[in-house]
């Protein structure tokens, strides 16, 4: 069965499974803010209409200015992209032909983009359920490496690695003359996050990628940004198509990037729902990753693989994200986004039904 390599767009999943997409379903496969876009975006939407007749600013000056002010860095160290996917593709092209290490499990686009640019790929595999990361284990993998991709908070596990760990990796990369591409697509779901953007002035080969589509629930607009030393940004800019980001996305970004109240509201909601879900999973003997963001990995430890559970959920019109294309996971986990309270409750109800149907597999006592 050739399942889709991304979440969302469930019609392709159902087609691959030889099923008809139901009229009603809950899609847990896309890690988007369940609150939806900020209300001020909707209020301004009609005003954006006039901008479709005007070419977008190819330099994205106003959005860069707002990011620079928020992050306290130079605008010359910022590159705006058509979502994180474009920025990953640009970085892969910049690294064309180099030896790349990807800390797995990880977002599959790193490998896809790097292979398209004739990079030599090596995995550094972390082991579940805690997927611990430390420099001692990584040092051998870094020998002769020219670039390292690290997703933090990690997609698909939801685990956030502490600042001390990332700093030790940064220092080792600097010694080895190795780029560190730090994908922080979900950083703003963390409460009291300690930003690494100030470190672009200290570490010459640090490249940070961030997404605005996840927190602000605007994946249809495609928007993200990259922070790095100005010379790297200049070289990456030369690889980017002109007018890569549309006018509406830029205007939306200008509104969203300064909406700290919305971010705090989301963080509080996600933490509350995550604690409720994980408490339920513990009670009903499901294994899960110690996520700190808006998604997590889950498995029934009494199954050899998770396909039976996956198909049971599909039958119940609940769509999880499979993990067959995450090296090291190989379908042995399912990924779920945190959704609305009602949708999360429905998921727990269905998993409770699953557990009751398979109660004979539980250990006594």
């Amino acid at each position: 069965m050739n399942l889709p390599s991304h979440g969302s767009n469930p019609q392709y999943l159902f087609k691959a499974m030889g099923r008809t997409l139901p009229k009603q379903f809950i899609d847990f496969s896309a890690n988007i803010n369940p609150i939806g876009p900020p209300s001020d975006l909707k209020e301004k939407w009609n005003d954006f209409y006039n901008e479709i007749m005007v070419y977008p600013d190819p330099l994205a000056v106003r959005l860069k200015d707002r990011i620079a002010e928020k992050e306290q860095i130079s605008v010359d160290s910022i590159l705006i992209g058509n979502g994180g996917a474009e920025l990953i593709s640009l970085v892969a092209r910049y690294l064309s032909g180099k030896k790349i290490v990807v800390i797995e499990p990880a977002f599959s686009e790193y490998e896809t983009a790097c292979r398209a640019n004739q990079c030599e790929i090596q995995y550094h595999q972390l082991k579940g359920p805690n997927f611990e990361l430390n420099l001692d284990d990584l040092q051998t993998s870094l020998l002769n490496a020219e670039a390292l991709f690290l997703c933090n908070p990690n997609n698909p596990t939801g685990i956030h690695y502490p600042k001390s760990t990332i700093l030790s990796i940064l220092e080792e990369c600097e010694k080895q003359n190795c780029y560190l591409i730090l994908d922080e697509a979900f950083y703003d779901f963390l409460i009291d996050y300690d930003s690494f953007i100030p470190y672009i002035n200290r570490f010459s080969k640090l490249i940070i990628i961030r997404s605005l589509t996840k927190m602000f629930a605007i994946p249809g607009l495609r928007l993200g940004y990259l922070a790095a030393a100005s010379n790297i940004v200049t070289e990456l800019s030369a690889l980017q198509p002109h007018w890569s980001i549309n006018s509406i996305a830029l205007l939306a970004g200008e509104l969203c990037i300064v909406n700290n109240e919305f971010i705090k509201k989301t963080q509080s909601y996600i933490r509350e729902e995550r604690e409720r879900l994980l408490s339920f999973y513990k009670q009903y003997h499901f294994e899960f990753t110690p996520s700190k963001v808006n998604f997590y990995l889950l498995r029934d430890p009494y199954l050899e693989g998770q396909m039976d559970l996956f198909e049971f959920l599909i039958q119940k019109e609940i769509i999880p994200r499979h993990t067959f294309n995450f090296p090291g996971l190989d379908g042995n986990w399912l990924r779920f986004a945190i959704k609305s309270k009602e949708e999360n409750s429905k998921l727990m109800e269905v998993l409770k039904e699953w557990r009751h149907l398979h109660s004979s597999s539980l250990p006594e006592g």
Side-chain angles (χ1 to χ4, degrees):
M1 194 184 306
N2 188 20
L3 299 178
S5 60
H6 287 275
S8 193
N9 301 121
Q11 66 272 23
Y12 299 117
L13 173 65
F14 275 74
K15 183 178 179 181
M17 297 180 72
R19 297 174 179 267
T20 301
L21 184 69
K23 291 183 179 179
Q24 292 187 334
F25 55 84
I26 307 175
D27 186 3
F28 284 89
S29 70
N31 303 332
I32 302 300
N33 190 336
I35 293 174
S39 58
D40 54 354
L41 193 57
K42 186 174 183 179
E43 291 164 9
K44 290 283 187 180
W45 195 253
N46 288 338
D47 296 340
F48 291 172
Y49 176 77
N50 293 328
E51 296 298 319
I52 66 175
M53 296 182 289
V54 181
Y55 278 97
D57 175 7
L59 302 179
V61 169
R62 291 187 306 192
L63 179 54
K64 280 185 181 178
D65 283 343
R66 294 196 175 191
I67 294 171
E69 183 178 357
K70 181 177 181 179
E71 299 296 337
Q72 293 297 292
I73 56 171
S74 166
V75 293
D76 295 334
S77 292
I78 301 168
L79 179 64
I80 309 298
N82 190 336
E86 185 198 28
L87 295 167
I88 291 167
S89 294
L90 289 175
V91 170
R93 190 174 169 193
Y94 178 71
L95 299 172
S96 180
K98 295 189 183 297
K99 294 180 181 178
I100 310 295
V101 175
V102 180
I103 295 178
E104 296 282 0
F107 185 40
S108 60
E109 287 298 320
Y110 311 147
E111 180 178 357
T112 301
C114 287
R115 287 203 185 281
N117 287 277
Q118 294 75 51
C119 295
E120 181 183 325
I121 310 291
Q122 178 184 343
Y123 300 144
H124 177 78
Q125 189 69 56
L126 306 181
K127 296 180 180 179
N130 293 323
F131 298 95
E132 294 177 1
L133 171 64
N134 64 72
L135 181 58
D136 290 340
D137 292 339
L138 184 59
Q139 278 180 322
T140 302
S141 296
L142 282 177
L143 292 175
N144 302 315
E146 295 172 278
L148 173 69
F149 278 81
L150 169 60
C151 187
N152 191 42
N154 178 269
N155 177 15
T157 67
I159 293 170
H160 172 241
Y161 297 108
K163 183 177 182 179
S164 57
T165 299
I166 307 302
L167 276 177
S168 65
I169 293 171
L170 260 173
E171 288 165 356
E172 185 64 23
C173 285
E174 192 80 358
K175 288 179 190 174
Q176 305 263 9
N177 198 30
C178 174
Y179 288 95
L180 174 61
I181 298 88
L182 187 61
D183 185 348
E184 295 188 328
F186 297 94
Y187 85 98
D188 38 9
F189 287 92
L190 293 164
I191 296 173
D192 299 325
Y193 177 69
D194 200 350
S195 176
F196 278 92
I197 283 187
Y199 289 92
I200 62 172
N201 297 317
R202 176 176 160 190
F203 297 98
S204 61
K205 292 198 167 185
L206 172 61
I207 299 174
I208 297 174
I209 296 174
R210 289 182 171 178
S211 170
L212 277 73
T213 64
K214 310 297 192 299
M215 169 57 72
F216 300 106
I218 53 171
L221 288 180
R222 314 305 307 138
L223 189 64
Y225 67 94
L226 176 152
S230 58
N231 64 300
I232 294 176
V233 169
T234 298
E235 292 178 50
L236 287 169
S237 298
L239 303 175
Q240 188 176 37
H242 210 51
W243 291 310
S244 175
I245 305 95
N246 70 73
S247 299
I248 308 301
L250 290 174
L251 289 168
E254 291 167 29
L255 279 178
C256 291
I257 199 71
V258 294
N259 197 335
N260 293 323
E261 183 179 341
F262 178 82
I263 294 172
K264 288 180 181 178
K265 176 184 175 183
T266 297
Q267 291 172 344
S268 177
Y269 170 78
I270 293 296
R271 178 173 62 181
E272 179 182 311
E273 280 299 284
R274 187 176 60 239
E275 289 175 357
R276 184 168 77 99
L277 284 158
L278 300 189
S279 176
F280 168 85
Y281 297 144
K282 187 174 182 179
Q283 179 184 354
Y284 283 90
H285 303 278
F286 289 97
E287 191 171 14
F288 53 87
T289 53
S291 170
K292 297 296 183 183
V293 289
N294 61 317
F295 57 91
Y296 51 90
L297 291 181
L298 179 80
R299 66 189 299 268
D300 184 341
Y302 307 107
L303 295 177
E304 191 165 326
Q306 300 302 302
M307 202 60 194
D308 287 348
L309 175 56
F310 183 79
E311 293 194 352
F312 177 80
L313 291 166
I314 293 293
Q315 289 170 7
K316 297 292 183 177
E317 300 175 349
I318 284 178
I319 304 173
R321 169 69 161 88
H322 74 85
T323 59
F324 284 104
N325 65 320
F326 289 100
L329 298 187
D330 306 318
N332 290 314
W333 295 82
L334 300 176
R335 193 190 70 188
F336 294 86
I338 293 174
K339 305 281 283 183
S340 70
K341 288 181 183 291
E342 294 75 19
E343 290 168 324
N344 295 331
S345 293
K346 177 63 177 177
L347 173 61
M348 288 190 284
E349 178 186 319
V350 170
L351 287 172
K352 188 175 181 180
E353 180 183 350
W354 164 269
R355 180 55 75 221
H356 283 241
L357 288 170
H358 298 80
S359 58
S360 61
S361 65
L362 293 175
E364 293 184 6

